[in-house]
Amino acid sequence: MKYLVTDDSKLARLTLLKSLKVHVGDAEIFQAENGAIAVDIVKNEKPDIVFLDLTMPVMDGYEALDKMMEINKNLKVVVVSADIQEKARERVINSGAQLHVQKPINADKMLEILEII
Amino acid sequence: MNPITLTEDEKDVLQELMNVAYGNATAVVAEMLDAFATLSIPNIKVMETSALLEEFQSLKGSSYFFSTQAFVGEFSGESAFFIDNESAQNLSTHLELESEDDLDDAILELTNVLTSSLTTRLAQEMDTEVRFSLPSISKVPLGEIANNQTFKEYSQVIVIDTQLIFEDQKINGEIFILTKDGSIEWLKNRLNIILEALM
């Protein structure tokens, strides 16, 4: 399995990576600091699961999600954001995300996510 | 523009809404930093921007990391987060950060998580939605805070002020939620709708 962690904050990426590595060990994990880079990685590296922040420079998570779904409509995307408003949730789920969860994600929460998707 | 004031009942409702929102934000930030955190009971007041800037001068220390993040919707405004140099260095030590850039990044993420979790919950309680901009950061000597563009955009503000404290790590921050003039009227209306529903 290949994973992609997308967040403009290095701290947020490292927090998520730490939780993810507890469960997936040495799996291949890519990182992106904005939506545009993430879309390129989805296109070129074909990850199986994407963790995607919403508020990012260059290209935000909403636009990136739409572009990712155009590339691979079966891609599993978990939106990870501090913004868990209903409208945000509806929008990302309607765009094809599997889950919309609140930051931060500890190892226990990560296990739940991986089991769900 | 006539000064707007909040009645005691309106303040009471806002205080209660904020208590719920701050409880949520405290839990999120504590988990993010893997440390026990407390947020002081928010202090709510309507004031002229000039008076707010005078209040900032009373913050201890000489220099701060200062970050802001705007939110827009029926309830619009901006959060301003201050963390003094010593606390910022303690944050860096706690997170084992390796550079100044990493520290900026951590403060921005802290601002993003604080603002989003606070404002999201507050918006939910008021049955509305908000959208967030990217946070930005600067290192500001106190004397220059008044020149910051953030404060030039407000004439009157509702200030919701609280302290974020990580006692064991000696990290203190102060967050202000500033609402734009038009939003103060909207907020008053919404608080009264909530009040009437309780009667």
Side-chain angles (χ1 to χ4, degrees), chain B residues 5-6 11 18 25 44 55-56 61 67 72 99 122 136 175 186:
Chain B
T5 54
L6 290 180
K11 264 192 192 175
M18 289 309 300
I44 297 168
E55 189 149 307
F56 285 158
S67 55
V72 294
S99 69
L122 187 59
S136 61
I175 187 162
W186 181 88

Side-chain angles (χ1 to χ4, degrees), chain A residues 9-11 85 87 103 106, chain B residues 31 102 105 109 129-130:
Chain A
S9 163
K10 184 178 171 186
L11 174 65
Q85 294 174 96
K87 265 190 188 162
K103 282 182 177 179
N106 60 24
Chain B
E31 193 171 347
D102 285 354
D105 172 89
E109 182 62 4
E129 299 266 347
V130 291

Side-chain angles (χ1 to χ4, degrees), chain A:
Chain A
M1 290 276 264
K2 291 181 182 177
Y3 300 83
L4 167 60
V5 173
T6 311
D7 199 304
D8 57 316
S9 163
K10 184 178 171 186
L11 174 65
R13 288 198 306 275
L14 292 177
T15 303
L16 213 149
L17 276 174
K18 189 176 165 189
S19 301
L20 185 57
K21 281 180 176 171
V22 170
H23 304 292
V24 304
D26 294 330
E28 197 166 5
I29 305 174
F30 300 94
Q31 294 185 53
E33 61 190 46
N34 63 54
I37 295 171
V39 170
D40 281 345
I41 292 174
V42 166
K43 194 184 291 177
N44 298 321
E45 305 293 342
K46 300 182 174 47
D48 302 287
I49 298 175
V50 175
F51 294 92
L52 182 66
D53 184 24
L54 290 178
T55 309
M56 292 183 289
V58 185
M59 183 189 289
D60 66 22
Y62 296 108
E63 188 180 350
L65 175 61
D66 288 340
K67 290 185 185 298
M68 287 174 185
M69 286 298 141
E70 284 171 16
I71 295 165
N72 176 6
K73 65 178 170 44
N74 296 316
L75 183 65
K76 291 179 175 174
V77 178
V78 179
V79 171
V80 182
S81 174
D83 177 3
I84 52 160
Q85 294 174 96
E86 197 51 39
K87 265 190 188 162
R89 188 184 302 276
E90 274 175 24
R91 188 171 166 189
V92 299
I93 297 299
N94 288 340
S95 292
Q98 261 70 35
L99 286 173
H100 179 206
V101 294
Q102 188 172 25
K103 282 182 177 179
I105 296 186
N106 60 24
D108 290 343
K109 207 193 280 185
M110 178 61 78
L111 180 60
E112 285 176 29
I113 291 167
L114 294 174
E115 284 177 348
I116 290 170
I117 59 170

Side-chain angles (χ1 to χ4, degrees), chain B residues 145-160:
Chain B
I145 283 177
N147 297 324
N148 189 284
Q149 189 59 35
T150 292
F151 303 109
K152 292 180 179 170
E153 293 171 9
Y154 301 87
S155 58
Q156 193 172 222
V157 287
I158 286 186
V159 179
I160 301 166

Side-chain angles (χ1 to χ4, degrees), chain B residues 83-182:
Chain B
I83 181 167
D84 63 67
N85 279 347
E86 188 182 344
S87 288
Q89 292 313 316
N90 291 339
L91 176 68
S92 180
T93 303
H94 176 64
L95 295 174
E96 299 176 357
L97 303 177
E98 292 171 352
S99 69
E100 285 292 313
D101 284 348
D102 285 354
L103 179 58
D104 285 356
D105 172 89
I107 292 170
L108 282 171
E109 182 62 4
L110 189 57
T111 303
N112 181 37
V113 169
L114 263 175
T115 305
S116 300
S117 50
L118 269 177
T119 316
T120 292
R121 192 59 194 260
L122 187 59
Q124 279 174 349
E125 296 290 328
M126 295 192 295
D127 200 22
T128 191
E129 299 266 347
V130 291
R131 297 186 309 281
F132 300 96
S133 68
L134 287 168
S136 61
I137 191 166
S138 55
K139 197 177 177 196
V140 193
L142 274 181
E144 292 176 21
I145 283 177
N147 297 324
N148 189 284
Q149 189 59 35
T150 292
F151 303 109
K152 292 180 179 170
E153 293 171 9
Y154 301 87
S155 58
Q156 193 172 222
V157 287
I158 286 186
V159 179
I160 301 166
D161 164 26
T162 189
Q163 281 204 321
L164 171 67
I165 304 161
F166 294 88
E167 204 164 318
D168 291 346
Q169 290 74 23
K170 295 186 168 52
I171 299 167
N172 291 287
E174 191 144 10
I175 187 162
F176 295 81
I177 305 286
L178 313 172
T179 58
K180 292 189 173 179
D181 296 350

